[in-house]
């Protein structure tokens, strides 16, 4: 795809080939490396004129938002459907997450063209079934364009499409637009200042000095990404600061704004959408950042490339569990090295013992075990409505799935006994329980163990410190101020109500008589200069000599910023030195709030196994029945189908949803005492994950009802110990508070829970509510009432359907930064 002086792009031969096949009515599977220009095939097709609607699906909301902004900037008429946002869905082009289209395919409907970007998601343990079903159920009138660069056997996918009656071809382009080279970081010239400390800062500094920037660094988890970005920003100052507008500084907040000014940033799911899409990503794409540290789990969701890539670990955290980086994930990450049109070569930088380019391999595409329960129940229910056999309908779907052998549902040999209990046997996934994540507990102010809560910002004077087996007010013990790097410890009160502070030297009187100025001590002057540089880069350095009255009127009010929160208690003079006794009562610290509202600085902690839910599993096992493992037997025992093999009321509602969410909703609807007004809020827990657990203050009713309905047992992809896999208690309390008053968000933000987590949980909650609103009707009054209530709730509480306005880049920020070195 060469560029002329006019900026016109000329398609490569393989791109023209793909367009030609599409225009002739064929399905096209494209395999091409990251950055080769797969998306440009679709853009060429749009430019040639679309006669029918095209749905362009991507794996994440972030990528959908990115494509929406990009194509609207081109003047296209584009809509979006991502669960939480649904806008202009009748537009000629709609960018979407694939799950939003599933219900259409189950009804036998589809667009003129369905594009599935990153179709390797078909092998994803969680979402692969939805990708498989979208392809399997796409009606004959829907053309398919499947795009990926990390699949080893794309021809297998083409054969599958041909086997189910589709005319499909493969366009295979293996040459990278920017070739890549692996470099050992320790072998780079060591021409950097000796003052740069730390393993990664020195290696990254070497790479920058060798003109290998900008660099994309992958870290295993969010905390690690932030900490590494902070270390790099501190160790690698630049003389050419990135000037941010006041709007950009406000949007970034500290410390991200300081890092951005130093041309360094972090990127993870805890960042809010405006910070990611309005600052980090556009600045990275514009070439303004020297280093971006991103989480490994976001490899497929990053829409920018840089000259070099580093992967720091082989293991990362996802969904509260540790897992190894797969070879195809490495391929995605390393594929970001090299910017087309800017770099002659991309570089994979390797540190000792860290992942190498040779370890990155395409994925052997294969389907996940088992059928998609909701989809099978949906086609069975539709068959019943049409007066046809539900078993025959299930068989018809089975033979279209991505496998050489039909997937057996077990419906034909299901012979339920009237005496059989409709409670599932324990864990029908091979007889092995998944490891349970331990619960972290802390000792509270009343000497009781409770769930450890995230750290929040409090005043030091309001906090407590654990010492010698008991809790005391923090400032009554010297340990609370040992970490303050200014001055020396001192006593502020002489009576028995002792209170500690710090005494900090400020200035010295001149030795010569007749001088009316004092000289700031070196440590204070250095702190003042650093503060001024951070707040006003480029400003002239302050003077060391000050008039005494100016010292009192200007410098003393600045002491909290210069001394980590210390406020003037009194001024003292001894031996020609003026010192300040500082009170740290108002200083901000991070503490954990216990159930009694006390802020605890250093509570003792422990990890314990979660208590077993009432032993449904043991009760079932005691009956000495052989475990049954076909899907149909599980459906019957969970009450999703009846003895006539027809979906029950519970099974019908379950079929409207993905994974296990419908199980929880159906169980809640089945409990007549469960108020729908409460359920609306509790739906926020369904996709919240583990990060909100510290904020549980109520009975977690949705989880309890679900465990009771399904025996507290596990079925892969649908239930884990009685609740859906992504269920997380505590979100409903947090989101209810934030929805009532958005300013309360900061009360919940800490090391474990970020603002982006709350933002994402709200989007997921809204997505679930939207799903309820637009799901089919059913002959169940409580279900219909829930749909009506969800519709009213959304209209009353989620007023804006548009994406937030993002600040644009300044003209200077759009010009690529060409600085070298550290």
């Amino acid at each position: 795809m060469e560029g002329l002086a006019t900026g016109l792009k000329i398609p490569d031969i393989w791109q023209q080939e793909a367009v030609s096949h599409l225009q002739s009515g064929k399905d096209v599977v494209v395999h091409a490396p990251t950055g080769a220009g797969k998306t440009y095939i679709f853009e060429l097709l749009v430019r040639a004129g679309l006669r029918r609607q095209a749905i362009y699906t991507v794996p994440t909301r972030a990528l959908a938002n990115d494509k929406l902004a990009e194509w609207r900037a081109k003047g296209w008429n584009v809509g979006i459907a991502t669960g939480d946002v649904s806008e202009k869905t009748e537009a000629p082009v709609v960018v979407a997450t694939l799950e939003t289209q599933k219900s259409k395919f189950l009804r036998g409907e589809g667009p003129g063209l369905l594009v599935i970007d990153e179709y390797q998601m078909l092998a994803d343990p969680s979402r692969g079934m939805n990708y498989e079903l979208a392809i399997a159920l796409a009606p004959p009138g829907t053309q398919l364009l499947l795009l990926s660069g990390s699949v080893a056997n794309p021809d297998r996918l083409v054969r599958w499409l041909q086997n189910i009656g589709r005319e499909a071809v493969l366009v295979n382009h293996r040459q990278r637009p920017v070739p890549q080279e692996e470099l050992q970081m320790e072998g780079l010239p060591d021409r950097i200042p000796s003052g740069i400390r730390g393993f990664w800062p020195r290696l990254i500094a070497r790479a920058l000095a060798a003109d290998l920037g900008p660099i994309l660094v992958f870290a295993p988890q969010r905390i690690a990404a932030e900490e590494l970005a902070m270390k790099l920003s501190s160790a690698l100052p630049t003389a050419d600061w990135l000037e941010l507008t006041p709007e950009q500084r406000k949007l970034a907040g500290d410390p991200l704004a300081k890092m951005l000014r130093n041309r360094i940033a972090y990127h993870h799911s805890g960042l809010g959408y405006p910070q990611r899409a309005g600052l980090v990503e556009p600045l990275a794409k514009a070439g303004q950042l020297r280093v971006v540290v991103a989480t490994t789990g976001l490899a497929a969701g990053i829409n920018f490339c840089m000259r070099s890539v580093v992967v720091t670990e082989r293991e990362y955290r996802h969904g509260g569990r540790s897992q190894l980086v797969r070879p195809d994930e490495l391929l995605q990450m390393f594929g970001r090295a090299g910017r087309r049109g800017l770099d002659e070569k991309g570089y994979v930088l390797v540190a000792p013992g860290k992942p190498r380019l040779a370890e990155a391999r395409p994925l052997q595409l294969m389907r996940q075990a088992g059928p998609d329960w909701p989809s099978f129940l949906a086609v069975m229910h539709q068959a019943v409505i049409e007066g046809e056999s539900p078993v025959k309908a299930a068989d018809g779907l089975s033979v279209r799935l991505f496998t050489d052998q039909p997937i057996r549902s077990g419906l034909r040999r299901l012979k339920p006994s009237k005496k059989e209990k409709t409670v599932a046997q324990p864990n029908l996934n091979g007889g092995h329980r998944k490891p349970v994540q331990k619960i972290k507990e802390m000792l509270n102010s009343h000497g009781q163990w409770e769930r450890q809560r995230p750290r929040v910002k409090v005043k030091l004077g309001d906090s407590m410190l654990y010492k010698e087996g008991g809790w005391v007010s923090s400032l009554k013990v010297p340990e609370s101020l040992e970490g303050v790097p200014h001055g020396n410890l001192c006593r502020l009160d002489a009576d028995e109500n002792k209170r500690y502070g710090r005494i900090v030297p400020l200035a010295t009187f001149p030795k010569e008589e007749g001088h009316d100025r004092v000289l700031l001590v070196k440590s204070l002057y250095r702190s003042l200069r650093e503060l001024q540089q951070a707040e006003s880069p480029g400003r002239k350095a302050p003077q060391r000599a000050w008039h005494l009255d100016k010292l009192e009127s200007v410098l003393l009010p600045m002491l909290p910023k210069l001394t980590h929160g210390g406020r003037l208690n009194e001024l003292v003079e001894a031996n020609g030195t003026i010192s300040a006794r500082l009170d740290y009562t108002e200083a901000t610290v991070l503490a954990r709030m216990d159930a009694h509202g006390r802020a605890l600085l250093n509570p003792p902690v422990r990890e314990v196994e979660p208590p077993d839910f009432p032993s449904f599993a043991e009760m079932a096992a005691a009956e000495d029945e052989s475990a049954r493992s076909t899907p149909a037997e599980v459906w019957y025992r969970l009450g999703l189908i009846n003895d006539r093999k027809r979906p029950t009321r519970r099974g019908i509602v379950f079929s409207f949803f993905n994974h296990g969410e419908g199980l929880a909703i159906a169980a809640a609807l089945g409990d007549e005492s469960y108020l729908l007004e409460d359920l609306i809020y509790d739906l926020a827990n369904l996709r919240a994950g583990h990060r909100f657990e510290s904020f549980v203050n109520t009975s977690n009713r949705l989880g309890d009802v679900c465990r009771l309905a399904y025996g507290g047992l596990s079925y892969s992809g649908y239930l884990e110990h009685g609740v859906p896999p992504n269920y997380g208690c505590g979100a409903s309390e947090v989101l209810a508070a934030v929805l009532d008053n958005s300013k309360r968000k900061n009360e919940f933000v800490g090391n474990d829970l970020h603002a982006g987590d709350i933002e994402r949980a709200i989007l997921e909650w809204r997505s679930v509510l939207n799903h309820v609103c637009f799901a089919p009707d059913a002959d169940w009054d409580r279900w219909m009432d829930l749909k009506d209530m969800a519709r009213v709730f959304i209209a009353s509480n989620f007023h804006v359907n548009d994406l937030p306005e993002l600040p644009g880049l300044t003209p200077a920020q759009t010009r690529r930064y060409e600085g070298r070195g550290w």
Side-chain angles (χ1 to χ4, degrees), residues 232-233 236-238 241 258-264 290:
L232 294 175
S233 183
L236 310 176
T238 178
W241 289 76
K258 293 181 180 178
M259 288 188 239
L260 287 172
R261 287 200 293 269
N262 202 21
R263 302 187 184 275
I264 290 173
R290 297 183 294 161

Side-chain angles (χ1 to χ4, degrees), residues 226 270 454-458 589-591 691-692 695 734 738 742-759:
E226 288 190 24
R455 290 187 175 94
V456 295
K457 293 180 180 179
V458 299
V589 293
L590 291 173
R691 296 188 182 278
F692 292 84
F695 298 101
V734 173
V738 173
S742 61
K743 294 181 180 179
R744 294 194 60 190
K745 182 187 293 185
N746 291 334
E747 295 180 20
F748 307 103
V749 173
N751 287 346
D752 300 318
L753 188 69
H754 291 206
D757 296 319
I758 297 175
E759 176 187 289

Side-chain angles (χ1 to χ4, degrees), residues 281-289 809 813-817:
E281 292 177 5
L283 288 172
K285 291 177 183 178
Q288 285 290 320
L289 302 180
L809 300 185
Q813 290 171 348
T814 61
R815 294 191 293 271
R816 195 164 303 280
Y817 170 67

